[in-house]
Amino acid sequence: MLRGSKLQSTQCIRTWIAIRQQSQLASRSSTEVPGRLRPSLLPRESVVKASAEVKEFALLEQGIRKTDQALSEYANYRYKFKRLPANYGSNQLLKIGREIDAELRGIMGHFQAPVRYAFGYGSGVFEQAGAHKSDGRPQMDLILGVTHPEHFHSLNMRQNAHHYSTMRYFGSDAISKLQAVGAGVYFNPFVDINGHQVKYGVVSMENLLKDLATWDTFYLAGRLQKPVKVLKNDLRVQFWNQLNLKSAATLAKHMLLAKSPGKIDEFEFYKQVTALSYIGDVRYKLGGENPSKVTNIVEKNYENFQRYYEPIYRDVIINDHGYLPRGFTVDNAVKLLEDRISWNSTVQTVKGVVTAGVAKSVKYAWAKKLKAIRSK
């Protein structure tokens, strides 16, 4: 039964890739028809050909809808892609300033342990409104996706033992087991790399892909719904994050239309997308986050949001396509996310005291609290 399900999942993904490629070809060929001329001025053969291509394109769009839905039901997030349709997910590969890009590349080059996927995020990578110069330069936040967490931590502790709290005395096996608790991320905050203050989280590729595909914890799926700088890419993440973005857009659209039927403002749309990852977050409940954080994130990164969501916005908002992970509907999604985010943010907060150590945890919490106070 499992083997049949896996084969069905693999076939579903291959069908999806084929349909996407055909759709792109049909889209390109349809734009090559001299549509600026009135049909009456075109040769009859051209009109017939254009009509056939439009019909074919419509059928392909129907196929995309069906295969997207099938993916949510059957897809295997462990499937290893050798390629993706041309430009699929290229919107995720944002460009940033050369200086900050070089600094991030330098930080990545510091790690000797193998990393499969990595991205930078937060105010240290993307500027946020409301930042105070007196705060100094923000900490750079990174997430490192690794295949074998225990192996990564073993090698990394040999190179960077000072990055770890007293947990290092328990060995890489204990650290990897603690990492697996909650959202599955192990953070080392306030470490110095190449003269930069860095916080990096380590996650297994298994947990990262599962969260993107199923919204299992929504911890990293929510993080990746906001603009990030991909530092090392993986086709599996690129594929599933594209559907993650589409899911976020689908839910955000529904929530906005529930507030203002028939009207969607693009800025408010990105605010709603950003707000999804904070539904039920314990840090908000305890006043540990800037209450204006959502607005600040979107305000300074509006163009990045537009680039990040460019094909998604067109697909979901303009063409009215929708997608949600299996088990989620527009009616139950908010409640499901609230429960998952509340639990996992609580566990990660408690876990952070152990992984970072008491001193660093207090320092991190106080820095967050100061930001919240200054924003008022």
Side-chain angles (χ1 to χ4, degrees), residues 247-259:
S247 298
T250 300
L251 184 55
K253 174 186 175 182
H254 172 76
M255 294 173 75
L256 282 178
L257 289 178
K259 298 174 187 175

Side-chain angles (χ1 to χ4, degrees), residues 305-363:
F305 270 98
Q306 287 184 310
R307 285 190 284 267
Y308 200 54
Y309 277 89
E310 190 272 326
I312 305 296
Y313 190 88
R314 183 176 62 248
D315 201 23
V316 175
I317 305 301
I318 298 175
N319 295 334
D320 198 29
H321 293 181
Y323 175 88
L324 284 171
R326 184 178 184 179
F328 284 84
T329 68
V330 291
D331 296 318
N332 71 12
V334 172
K335 181 63 172 69
L336 289 175
L337 290 180
E338 185 175 9
D339 292 342
R340 295 179 188 197
I341 293 170
S342 179
W343 167 251
N344 286 292
S345 63
T346 301
V347 172
Q348 280 294 140
T349 300
V350 174
K351 191 170 77 172
V353 177
V354 180
T355 60
V358 176
K360 285 186 177 180
S361 296
V362 171
K363 181 180 178 181

Side-chain angles (χ1 to χ4, degrees), residues 213-325:
T214 69
W215 283 2
D216 179 52
T217 68
F218 206 70
Y219 194 83
L220 291 176
R223 176 59 264 170
L224 280 159
Q225 287 168 2
K226 299 179 280 291
V228 301
K229 174 56 184 175
V230 176
L231 300 171
K232 187 168 185 179
N233 199 21
D234 182 279
L235 291 183
R236 294 170 298 171
V237 177
Q238 187 170 325
F239 173 83
W240 287 110
N241 192 40
Q242 197 72 355
L243 289 178
N244 176 45
L245 298 182
K246 189 171 183 178
S247 298
T250 300
L251 184 55
K253 174 186 175 182
H254 172 76
M255 294 173 75
L256 282 178
L257 289 178
K259 298 174 187 175
S260 304
K263 180 183 178 182
I264 292 183
D265 175 80
E266 191 171 1
F267 184 84
E268 292 300 318
F269 168 73
Y270 296 131
K271 279 180 61 178
Q272 187 63 70
V273 165
T274 303
L276 292 178
S277 57
Y278 299 110
I279 297 173
D281 193 321
V282 67
R283 293 169 299 178
Y284 262 88
K285 293 178 181 178
L286 297 176
E289 282 286 4
N290 183 347
S292 303
K293 185 169 185 174
V294 170
T295 301
N296 291 345
I297 289 173
V298 180
E299 198 171 279
K300 277 288 186 178
N301 288 282
Y302 183 66
E303 291 183 358
N304 282 326
F305 270 98
Q306 287 184 310
R307 285 190 284 267
Y308 200 54
Y309 277 89
E310 190 272 326
I312 305 296
Y313 190 88
R314 183 176 62 248
D315 201 23
V316 175
I317 305 301
I318 298 175
N319 295 334
D320 198 29
H321 293 181
Y323 175 88
L324 284 171

Side-chain angles (χ1 to χ4, degrees), residues 22 33 37 49 108 161 171 197 204 238 244 311 313 329 346 368:
Q22 291 177 45
V33 175
L37 299 176
K49 182 180 178 182
M108 282 299 301
Q197 195 171 77
S204 71
Q238 187 170 325
N244 176 45
Y313 190 88
T329 68
T346 301
K368 286 279 189 181

Side-chain angles (χ1 to χ4, degrees), residues 74-187:
Y74 303 111
N76 173 17
Y77 57 83
R78 297 186 182 94
Y79 181 84
K80 294 183 179 180
F81 293 92
K82 294 181 179 178
R83 59 187 173 85
L84 292 175
N87 298 321
Y88 182 81
S90 60
N91 50 293
Q92 298 173 35
L93 308 178
L94 296 177
K95 293 181 179 180
I96 58 176
R98 289 184 180 180
E99 184 179 347
I100 185 70
D101 185 72
E103 290 172 352
L104 288 168
R105 300 289 174 187
I107 291 170
M108 282 299 301
H110 170 80
F111 293 99
Q112 296 174 5
V115 174
R116 286 297 303 268
Y117 177 81
F119 66 88
Y121 67 98
S123 57
V125 179
F126 297 95
E127 188 179 358
Q128 291 182 15
H132 291 259
K133 291 183 179 179
S134 58
D135 293 336
R137 184 164 184 177
Q139 183 174 233
M140 289 185 172
D141 297 314
L142 276 70
I143 292 292
L144 311 179
V146 304
T147 305
H148 304 291
E150 183 182 353
H151 180 59
F152 175 88
H153 289 300
S154 176
L155 295 177
N156 197 43
M157 280 194 294
R158 293 179 195 175
Q159 180 195 4
N160 301 303
H162 58 289
H163 289 184
Y164 292 80
S165 67
T166 52
M167 277 299 300
R168 66 181 180 273
Y169 298 117
F170 295 92
S172 58
D173 180 59
I175 288 176
S176 62
K177 286 178 179 176
L178 180 60
Q179 176 182 313
V181 175
V185 186
Y186 188 101
F187 282 105

Side-chain angles (χ1 to χ4, degrees), residues 63-78:
I64 289 171
R65 287 175 186 254
K66 290 179 180 178
T67 51
D68 278 355
Q69 182 59 38
L71 281 171
S72 73
E73 296 294 332
Y74 303 111
N76 173 17
Y77 57 83
R78 297 186 182 94

